[in-house]
Amino acid sequence: MSKNVIAVVVLIVIVGVVIGIYIYYTQPKPPAVISIGSVRVPTHLDPVKTTGADEFNLEFNIYDYLVEWEPETLNVVPGLATSWETSENGTVWTFYLRQGVKFHDGTSFNASAAKFNIDRYIEKGAFRSGLKYITNVIVVDDYTLKIYLSHPHPLLLRHLSIFIGMVSPTLIEVYGEDYIDTHPAGTGPYKVIEYVEDDRIVLEANKDYWDTPPKNSKIVLKKYADSASLKAAFEAGEIDIIWSARGDLFPTDVEDLRKKGYNIIESESNMIRYIVFNEAQYPFNDTRVRKAIAYAVNRTKIVNVVFSGQASELYTLVAKGIWGHLDTFPHRNLTEAISLLNDAGHNTAQKLEITLYYSSSYYGTAEEYVAQVIKEDLEETGLISVTLQNVEKATFREQYKAGQYGMWLLGWFPPIPDPNSYLYYFMNPIMANAIFSSHYNNTEADSLLSQALSTYNQTLRQELYEQLQQILAEDVPYIPLWQLKQFFITTDKISGIQVSPIAYFYFHTIEKK
Amino acid sequence: MSSKSSGLLFYIVSRILLIIPMLLILLTLIFIILRVLPGDPVYFIVSPQAGEHIIEQTRHELGLDRPIWEQYVSYLMGVFRGDLGKSYITKDNVWSIIGRHLPITIELATCGLFVAAFLGISFGTFAAYKSKSWFGVFNTILSTIAYTMPVFWFGMILQILFAIQFRVLPATGILDTSLSITRITGLPALDALITGNMRAFVDHVARLILPSITLGFFISGNINRMTHSNVLKALNEDYVRAARARGIKERVILFKYALKNSLIPVITLLGMNFARMLSGSVLTETVFSIPGMGSLLVNSIFRRDYPLVQGIIVVYALLISIVTLIIDIIYAYIDPRIRL
Amino acid sequence: MKLLDIKNLRVYYFSEEGVVKAVDGVSLSLNKGETLGVVGESGCGKSTLGLSVLRLVPYPGKMVSGKIFYNGIDLLSLSDEEVRKLRGKEIAMIFQNPDVSLNPIMNIKEHLVEAILTHEEIDEREAVEKTEEILGKVGIPKNRINDYPHQFSGGMKQRIMIALALLLNPKLIIADEPTSSLDVLIQAKTLELLRNLKEEYGLSLILITHDFGVVFEESDRIAVMYAGHIIEIAKNTELYDKPLHPYTQALIKAVPTVTPEEQKLNYILGMPPSLLTPPKGCRFYARCKYAREICKFKEPKTATVGREHIVKCHLY
Ligand SMILES: Nc1ncnc2c1ncn2[C@@H]1O[C@H](COP(=O)(O)OP(=O)(O)OP(=O)(O)O)[C@@H](O)[C@H]1O
Ligand SMILES: [Mg+2]
């Protein structure tokens, strides 16, 4: 009796498995999918909430902006606005909008949709304080939009091209604000068809895209817990592309994959790494000490020893690849460092004792080696003794903001590719204090910054920013150290990856054989 | 008989009632620990580039600028209304986030349990049977390794061997990126079957193999040891000798006499191992990038997503209480000597 | 031909403390239809001897030398599987403690049916019938056939064990203290049942016990064991009337008289020797009234005195 039952069950299982395998092999294969693995995926997709690079990046792929930019050159190009003009005094901008564009939910894109989004951003947007210069947005007709500014602002086009993704207004009206966190509808090249938090986001090509439609039909953005599992998944053939935007993959893992013959595309990323000083703390209140440290650090060693060459030495705060970048900081010079320290009254008998704070849980294990290298370099002067202090990620930011550290390692990757994004926050006294507690205060620098932000004259702006970078090298409130590289590691099947120096990744050009 | 079942009912009810103060204490502890733990959640929500005003505003929106006791009271009120709050990061309801992750962990844990039971019981039994041979020694080493090894390390070894070297099994995730499963019950395997999505089903099951083995092996250590010693004991029982004297076959003696009699305590052990299994699943999910409760917990702790961490702990505590209660009840019914 | 013939058997336990010479050169035989009582103090090796016949000596015990012939077959030369087929079918065993001799998670029917189906190729229904029949014989009602061991009393369990032993009509039953864990009344009943069934089935029986009363009651012949040796074998009455070995003599004196008021026990002073390091000479030497110099150094040979009366003592 019970034996019969077992026999029947076994039979059913066998039949089931056979049928299953049959169906498995006879069902049509799903369309080619390109999977991109990363240790990070966005946590939401609403442009007004976005402050982080992961969200920005995905939003570029699902939303369009009034104006856009070419990935390689970063030049501004038409987006949902086909053309635009500026009034004589530079405070009124008129945008002529593209016709016949539809959101993924079917809503038509027009001037009131654009106004809706700009207004929404000005009201709620994360970076709205930087957009206070926009005073009014007016719908002239269905496809003409006027934006009024309080004063000329050279970053308007950049802001429009990065902060204000065009979301379907109907979607928000019908489903509410939170809905678009996971179910966005833009006009962009991709629609989000599946959103599994902390796991994957599935994008489907928008067949009705107004511009050249994507060269692939489906993109899956897959999140991995860490470098090791990302690498394992890639080697097991589960993903086609590893995107390591900001040092997500260990240098040794990159080298290993290179040795195994995978394609590796590398370029600058927009992330810079530097030392911050708290000028309110002894001995960093002494410019000579800060300068001496700037002479003593050995960027070549950091780049070669710690990152196996997978980073670039950095001698200014403006990242390479951003216009206006100018090397102003000195290369290593121990004699200079020693004489500065002597000037400041430090000698072998009375060594300068300093502590370098860093957070390896925030920036990865490599951070520990960097700190070690810096310690060795500074101690090579014979006049400094460095204590290293590794701080847990969760407390790091809290503590440096509270002014608890005198010298620490930090990173920066602003969304807007403009020298202002690198210099303003570091050199404007209010920002420098709010963000870094660096207590840096140079009124000349501040006025140069304001000047550069109120003109459309590119040559003038460039001059001003170069001047500012010179001042930085004089004052040394920060010491730029290195700039990260981004890596795309792919199988042979993948081609067409377009690299942008600011580490954003457009998916529509990728092709899979 | 009836006195037994009414006693049992009383027992169950009192056990369930005890869960309430337990949860209250646990929640209070977690609430305090999370707030004592350094790290301000706002810094994980807002990127470093955002200005101070954004940070302050976010803090206000999340109610983090209110006094701690006020936050505590309002959180507790919510919990007793069945509302675990919203995630700081995704703003999604904590229940629905857990609802998406829990089934995956349940699947993994179930498979892990089967692997653990299979490995632990078969090896333990065989080792007891052959306790004087090399296999006994080998098995002692094996079960000790299983009990003490780092899950992380073992999972990675399996991954490198089977997914990268031989490429016979997938390395990570719960589904190929080209596939998707329509959500019905939340259990991916079941949903794939219901919707007749065989391709996804096969792929999903294949992806469960390595994690299940990892988790199963981890838990098998305990079961192995216990089975081993129980079977060994049972094989020395008089009824085994008597059965041998009747000419009963060794195979039958081993399974029907020794093993079956050893299994009741082993089943309890499985129940007691439930908490250990949850902790094992956290690591397994990390190694294999499985979006279950474990990786959810890790992520939400890293991001100081207080409501989510608290919610997960509540669910874990409930699960553990329920499972131990069920095991107790099963045990009471299996073993007539237990009077509740 | 003898049904069972044990020749110079030595069974040692290779325990951690040393080699326990539990059965140390025992020769014994059993005729068809005969009941042989094996009697001796606790620890003298009776159970080990019984288990040897079924080749069930547990680890770390080993049959070191000697031969056991059953119906002319050399048991020690058989394969494990061949021995297994004999167990229960040809030779059955009943153990001392019925409370722990049944599998607690199997009901009675399962026990018996399993035993039948192990040895006989009949269908399950027939096996159940046979089960009911034999249980009837030992006085277990049909309606209790599905009950589990813990639902029975000790006496009932021992009757079930007897049923299990008789089930396949074996020719030889080894009963190792079948009644010593039962209370006196039940003891008597159980022994009576065993005796009757033995007659009915025409069995041979080895009855192992430390109870001289029982052994005189039940056996045709009696073997007295002392510290791994058989020191005397004789017919029941012969042994009772004419015990030769000083140990046997002392034992018979020690048997309590039947009426409780008169109970007067003659204990033998001292303890049996350790089987780890048994004395070189006679093993009873230390406790023997008649001990002489030779007894200390030389192990006595077995002597046959009269008809089938064998004794291992320097006195003879
Ligand atoms: N597994 C074992 N390991 C070591 N020694 C053993 C083992 N089993 C029995 N012995 C020893 O062998 C000797 C004989 O034991 P056995 O059980 O045969 O005696 P017995 O005459 O049946 O005693 P009892 O009347 O107590 O049942 C004893 O000294 C005992 O200690
Ligand atoms: Mg015994």
Side-chain angles (χ1 to χ4, degrees):
Chain A
M1 176 34 204
S2 70
K3 270 180 192 159
N4 289 342
V5 173
I6 292 170
V8 169
V9 170
V10 168
L11 199 72
I12 290 175
V13 168
I14 291 174
V15 170
V17 167
V18 169
I19 292 177
I21 291 172
Y22 174 76
I23 296 175
Y24 181 72
Y25 282 106
T26 51
Q27 264 181 359
K29 279 217 166 214
V33 168
I34 297 176
S35 338
I36 303 170
S38 167
V39 296
R40 35 176 103 240
V41 289
T43 51
H44 67 81
L45 298 171
D46 183 354
V48 300
K49 290 183 188 156
T50 297
T51 56
D54 308 319
E55 286 79 20
F56 276 124
N57 187 70
L58 197 72
E59 285 165 16
F60 292 147
N61 285 288
I62 56 180
Y63 297 119
D64 282 321
Y65 302 76
L66 285 187
V67 295
E68 311 217 340
W69 40 276
E70 277 181 355
E72 278 106 342
T73 61
L74 304 180
N75 287 338
V76 170
V77 293
L80 287 175
T82 49
S83 61
W84 52 87
E85 55 195 40
T86 323
S87 69
E88 198 69 25
N89 64 1
T91 57
V92 185
W93 287 67
T94 310
F95 290 90
Y96 301 101
L97 307 186
R98 201 173 289 280
Q99 308 197 358
V101 178
K102 278 196 176 359
F103 287 102
H104 299 154
D105 66 345
T107 310
S108 294
F109 170 75
N110 54 27
S112 42
K115 177 180 160 55
F116 172 88
N117 278 290
I118 299 171
D119 286 347
R120 183 167 178 260
Y121 198 90
I122 289 169
E123 189 200 334
K124 299 200 174 96
F127 292 101
R128 63 178 180 278
S129 67
L131 269 68
K132 288 209 179 95
Y133 63 90
I134 300 179
T135 52
N136 209 354
V137 181
I138 283 178
V139 176
V140 180
D141 61 43
D142 263 7
Y143 294 101
T144 314
L145 191 76
K146 269 190 172 22
I147 298 180
Y148 290 81
L149 311 184
S150 58
H151 57 84
H153 200 291
L155 292 184
L156 173 69
L157 292 183
R158 286 294 181 207
H159 288 158
L160 289 177
S161 75
I162 284 168
F163 291 155
I164 310 180
M166 293 294 161
V167 186
S168 164
T170 17
L171 196 72
I172 296 179
E173 274 154 28
V174 176
Y175 294 102
E177 299 272 343
D178 287 346
Y179 186 73
I180 54 173
D181 282 345
T182 49
H183 299 81
T187 59
Y190 290 96
K191 304 175 193 185
V192 174
I193 56 169
E194 199 185 349
Y195 181 100
V196 186
E197 75 237 66
D198 279 331
D199 180 42
R200 62 168 77 186
I201 295 177
V202 183
L203 305 179
E204 192 182 65
N206 176 6
K207 287 190 205 72
D208 308 318
Y209 192 48
W210 55 268
D211 203 355
T212 19
K215 294 197 166 135
N216 46 63
S217 53
K218 214 172 174 187
I219 294 279
V220 177
L221 209 61
K222 184 96 176 62
K223 190 202 157 159
Y224 291 90
D226 52 26
S227 180
S229 56
L230 176 57
K231 181 168 174 267
F234 178 71
E235 288 189 84
E238 285 167 22
I239 45 176
D240 303 303
I241 303 170
I242 293 181
W243 182 34
S244 171
R246 280 171 291 275
D248 306 330
L249 217 52
F250 293 143
T252 45
D253 284 347
V254 176
E255 281 320 299
D256 184 50
L257 290 172
R258 200 195 298 276
K259 275 197 212 103
K260 286 178 177 157
Y262 293 104
N263 293 339
I264 298 194
I265 303 171
E266 66 176 72
S267 83
E268 302 296 345
S269 90
N270 60 341
M271 185 171 189
I272 59 167
R273 298 299 313 275
Y274 47 87
I275 289 171
V276 184
F277 292 113
N278 178 352
E279 291 190 16
Q281 244 190 48
Y282 174 84
F284 308 109
N285 53 351
D286 188 335
T287 313
R288 290 168 298 187
V289 170
R290 300 199 302 272
K291 256 194 180 157
I293 294 174
Y295 274 112
V297 291
N298 189 346
R299 294 171 178 84
T300 322
K301 198 161 143 195
I302 294 175
V303 164
N304 291 336
V305 174
V306 183
F307 294 101
S308 332
Q310 297 166 23
S312 318
E313 298 172 32
L314 189 66
Y315 293 92
T316 176
L317 282 182
V318 178
K320 274 182 204 165
I322 306 293
W323 67 272
H325 166 93
L326 179 71
D327 289 349
T328 52
F329 277 73
H331 284 242
R332 188 167 204 243
N333 187 336
L334 267 187
T335 346
E336 198 67 36
I338 291 167
S339 84
L340 278 163
L341 286 169
N342 285 335
D343 276 0
H346 302 288
N347 51 47
T348 37
Q350 250 183 313
K351 279 192 185 179
L352 181 58
E353 299 207 349
I354 58 177
T355 305
L356 174 64
Y357 293 87
Y358 65 98
S359 172
S360 62
S361 53
Y362 199 61
Y363 290 107
T365 356
E367 202 76 351
E368 285 176 38
Y369 302 112
V370 171
Q372 194 57 42
V373 167
I374 293 176
K375 176 182 158 80
E376 284 164 17
D377 292 341
L378 301 193
E379 288 182 346
E380 218 180 303
T381 59
L383 300 173
I384 306 179
S385 132
V386 183
T387 312
L388 296 180
Q389 188 77 49
N390 192 353
V391 189
E392 212 254 318
K393 170 181 174 173
T395 25
F396 191 57
R397 220 166 135 193
E398 222 167 55
Q399 295 187 345
Y400 74 68
K401 279 203 165 196
Q404 292 184 24
Y405 312 156
M407 175 185 180
W408 65 101
L409 280 169
L410 215 58
W412 185 256
F413 47 103
I416 305 279
D418 190 276
N420 177 71
S421 315
Y422 287 93
L423 298 174
Y424 186 77
Y425 301 92
F426 291 84
M427 299 181 80
N428 171 288
I430 298 168
M431 280 298 169
N433 251 337
I435 298 178
F436 305 107
S437 298
S438 66
H439 295 93
Y440 177 60
N441 194 344
N442 181 328
T443 38
E444 188 205 348
D446 193 28
S447 79
L448 293 180
L449 281 171
S450 318
Q451 218 181 315
L453 261 195
S454 52
T455 174
Y456 295 118
N457 182 336
Q458 180 72 10
T459 341
L460 176 60
R461 290 192 74 209
Q462 173 133 8
E463 269 169 30
L464 289 167
Y465 287 128
E466 285 174 357
Q467 221 174 315
L468 281 160
Q469 291 171 75
Q470 306 281 9
I471 293 175
L472 267 184
E474 270 317 302
D475 294 347
V476 200
Y478 314 93
I479 302 173
L481 294 175
W482 77 98
Q483 178 171 352
L484 265 72
K485 283 191 173 152
Q486 65 170 329
F487 291 90
F488 298 91
I489 301 168
T490 73
T491 58
D492 286 337
K493 289 185 189 145
I494 296 295
S495 60
I497 290 180
Q498 213 175 10
V499 175
S500 150
I502 54 174
Y504 288 135
F505 186 8
Y506 283 102
F507 303 145
H508 64 271
T509 57
I510 318 168
E511 282 181 276
K512 184 176 179 180
K513 262 190 273 186
Chain B
M1 201 64 204
S2 78
S3 85
K4 184 183 172 182
S5 56
S6 77
L8 189 64
L9 191 71
F10 176 76
Y11 175 76
I12 293 171
V13 170
S14 56
R15 278 284 297 267
I16 289 173
L17 286 178
L18 271 177
I19 291 176
I20 295 170
M22 184 270 297
L23 271 185
L24 198 68
I25 294 169
L26 189 73
L27 270 180
T28 311
L29 276 179
I30 292 296
F31 195 92
I32 294 168
I33 289 170
L34 280 177
R35 267 108 190 136
V36 168
L37 209 67
D40 186 335
V42 176
Y43 293 131
F44 294 88
I45 302 164
V46 180
S47 93
Q49 279 79 331
E52 204 56 31
H53 61 285
I54 298 178
I55 289 177
E56 280 321 312
Q57 180 200 327
T58 313
R59 201 187 301 280
H60 178 74
E61 279 166 7
L62 300 180
L64 286 168
D65 52 353
R66 290 186 295 164
I68 294 265
W69 65 267
E70 210 181 298
Q71 295 179 37
Y72 174 69
V73 170
S74 79
Y75 179 72
L76 274 194
M77 303 274 275
V79 169
F80 283 105
R81 265 181 282 116
D83 175 14
L84 292 180
K86 281 182 172 187
S87 156
Y88 284 169
I89 308 283
T90 62
K91 311 288 187 299
D92 202 354
N93 188 303
V94 168
W95 275 124
S96 56
I97 296 176
I98 290 175
R100 286 193 293 273
H101 288 78
L102 185 60
I104 293 169
T105 297
I106 287 178
E107 241 184 52
L108 173 63
T110 313
C111 296
L113 198 66
F114 274 110
V115 173
F118 176 77
L119 280 182
I121 292 173
S122 61
F123 276 64
T125 308
F126 196 64
Y129 189 57
K130 295 270 173 200
S131 64
K132 295 299 164 221
S133 73
W134 64 269
F135 187 83
V137 180
F138 164 76
N139 188 62
T140 309
I141 297 169
L142 187 81
S143 63
T144 312
I145 290 175
Y147 191 73
T148 52
M149 64 146 196
V151 183
F152 217 86
W153 174 82
F154 183 67
M156 265 165 55
I157 298 275
L158 288 186
Q159 214 171 38
I160 289 168
L161 269 182
F162 294 100
I164 296 174
Q165 280 299 317
F166 303 124
R167 287 220 180 191
V168 285
L169 286 169
T172 60
I174 54 164
L175 197 60
D176 188 273
T177 47
S178 67
L179 301 168
S180 68
I181 293 174
T182 318
R183 218 185 119 85
I184 298 168
T185 61
L187 296 166
L190 194 59
D191 288 349
L193 277 183
I194 293 174
T195 53
N197 191 348
M198 286 319 286
R199 181 172 281 276
F201 178 75
V202 172
D203 182 79
H204 173 66
V205 170
R207 268 158 216 277
L208 279 179
I209 295 176
L210 291 184
S212 304
I213 292 175
T214 306
L215 184 57
F217 183 58
F218 173 64
I219 308 166
S220 75
N222 250 350
I223 299 172
N224 188 330
R225 286 177 176 195
M226 181 118 178
T227 311
H228 183 182
S229 67
N230 280 350
V231 171
L232 209 55
K233 213 175 93 215
L235 281 174
N236 280 320
E237 293 284 355
D238 283 4
Y239 57 80
V240 165
R241 190 179 60 181
R244 285 206 172 110
R246 288 197 294 279
I248 306 298
K249 291 184 180 118
E250 279 302 302
R251 190 170 42 84
V252 178
I253 287 181
L254 186 60
F255 290 105
K256 211 158 146 191
Y257 285 73
L259 182 57
K260 255 192 172 172
N261 273 294
S262 315
L263 278 187
I264 298 173
V266 171
I267 289 169
T268 341
L269 185 79
L270 287 181
M272 292 189 319
N273 259 304
F274 188 69
R276 189 172 142 85
M277 184 149 70
L278 288 181
S279 74
S281 74
V282 173
L283 298 170
T284 311
E285 286 174 14
T286 312
V287 177
F288 292 98
S289 286
I290 291 173
M293 287 285 272
S295 35
L296 187 68
L297 179 65
V298 171
N299 282 331
S300 51
I301 290 175
F302 272 141
R303 294 175 186 151
R304 299 290 188 273
D305 194 342
Y306 297 164
L308 196 48
V309 177
Q310 286 159 184
I312 294 168
I313 301 287
V314 169
V315 170
Y316 272 174
L318 281 177
L319 277 178
I320 292 172
S321 331
I322 293 167
V323 167
T324 34
L325 181 61
I326 290 173
I327 294 278
D328 280 359
I329 294 170
I330 291 176
Y331 200 66
Y333 269 107
I334 292 180
D335 195 333
R337 277 163 300 189
I338 291 186
R339 290 268 177 273
L340 292 169
Chain C
M1 194 179 46
K2 300 266 168 35
L3 182 63
L4 186 71
D5 204 355
I6 300 175
K7 288 194 169 143
N8 203 16
L9 181 70
R10 285 175 209 277
V11 184
Y12 295 172
Y13 290 101
F14 296 86
S15 72
E16 268 158 33
E17 295 84 54
V19 181
V20 181
K21 297 175 176 166
V23 173
D24 204 9
V26 164
S27 296
L28 196 66
S29 63
L30 181 73
N31 299 315
K32 280 193 183 123
E34 187 184 31
T35 298
L36 173 73
V38 176
V39 66
E41 272 171 287
S42 182
C44 70
K46 305 183 296 291
S47 296
T48 307
L49 178 64
L51 289 169
S52 309
V53 176
L54 283 170
R55 281 186 30 191
L56 278 175
V57 179
Y59 182 88
K62 259 199 183 130
M63 292 197 249
V64 179
S65 66
K67 288 238 151 41
I68 305 174
F69 292 99
Y70 168 78
N71 250 340
I73 311 163
D74 180 359
L75 287 182
L76 303 191
S77 69
L78 296 183
S79 71
D80 287 351
E81 181 60 14
E82 285 164 329
V83 177
R84 186 189 66 71
K85 284 181 176 153
L86 285 182
R87 292 182 192 146
K89 179 84 179 140
E90 292 286 329
I91 310 170
M93 192 153 177
I94 299 168
F95 294 94
Q96 174 172 6
N97 195 344
D99 285 323
V100 291
S101 290
L102 290 160
N103 186 349
I105 57 169
M106 277 166 71
N107 67 26
I108 302 316
K109 186 172 88 183
E110 285 170 324
H111 275 94
L112 284 113
V113 169
E114 176 192 72
I116 297 170
L117 295 183
T118 303
H119 293 285
E120 286 176 8
E121 305 226 325
I122 58 173
D123 65 33
E124 208 176 313
R125 200 175 39 81
E126 280 177 87
V128 174
E129 271 167 23
K130 199 165 171 183
T131 295
E132 284 170 352
E133 183 199 316
I134 192 101
L135 283 175
K137 281 197 177 141
V138 299
I140 303 289
K142 246 188 194 177
N143 60 356
R144 305 225 33 201
I145 192 165
N146 285 319
D147 284 357
Y148 284 84
H150 74 267
Q151 291 163 298
F152 294 92
S153 71
M156 289 170 103
K157 273 186 255 191
Q158 195 60 307
R159 279 184 277 150
I160 293 165
M161 293 310 292
I162 291 171
L164 269 168
L166 291 171
L167 194 57
L168 298 159
N169 300 320
K171 301 197 178 59
L172 170 62
I173 287 188
I174 301 165
D176 186 359
E177 317 214 20
T179 58
S180 44
S181 71
L182 307 175
D183 67 56
V184 191
L185 264 174
I186 314 266
Q187 227 176 50
K189 275 192 182 165
T190 310
L191 284 171
E192 189 188 322
L193 176 73
L194 196 58
R195 197 188 314 128
N196 293 341
L197 288 170
K198 187 206 152 217
E199 294 305 318
E200 186 181 336
Y201 284 78
L203 295 168
S204 310
L205 181 65
I206 295 179
L207 181 65
I208 296 172
T209 174
H210 56 251
D211 185 338
F212 248 106
V214 169
V215 100
F216 282 123
E217 199 80 8
E218 304 292 335
S219 339
D220 303 321
R221 235 157 25 103
I222 296 168
V224 182
M225 244 184 125
Y226 185 78
H229 287 163
I230 300 252
I231 47 123
E232 189 163 2
I233 308 178
K235 281 243 156 73
N236 188 335
T237 42
E238 165 122 4
L239 192 82
Y240 193 78
D241 297 339
K242 241 176 47 187
L244 294 178
H245 199 284
Y247 176 63
T248 319
Q249 293 167 359
L251 274 181
I252 289 171
K253 274 194 197 152
V255 176
T257 28
V258 189
T259 40
E261 305 95 75
E262 294 179 56
Q263 267 190 13
K264 226 176 13 170
L265 287 170
N266 292 302
Y267 291 105
I268 308 169
L269 285 174
M271 293 283 285
S274 156
L275 290 175
L276 276 170
T277 45
K280 238 170 79 194
C282 175
R283 297 206 169 165
F284 191 57
Y285 169 79
R287 300 162 84 185
C288 187
K289 283 192 223 164
Y290 310 101
R292 291 176 297 162
E293 197 55 20
I294 183 169
C295 301
K296 190 171 181 183
F297 301 108
K298 195 165 180 285
E299 189 185 317
K301 288 213 176 67
T302 39
T304 311
V305 182
R307 257 188 88 238
E308 289 183 51
H309 195 150
I310 298 165
V311 63
K312 192 178 172 78
C313 177
H314 283 298
L315 290 173
Y316 306 96

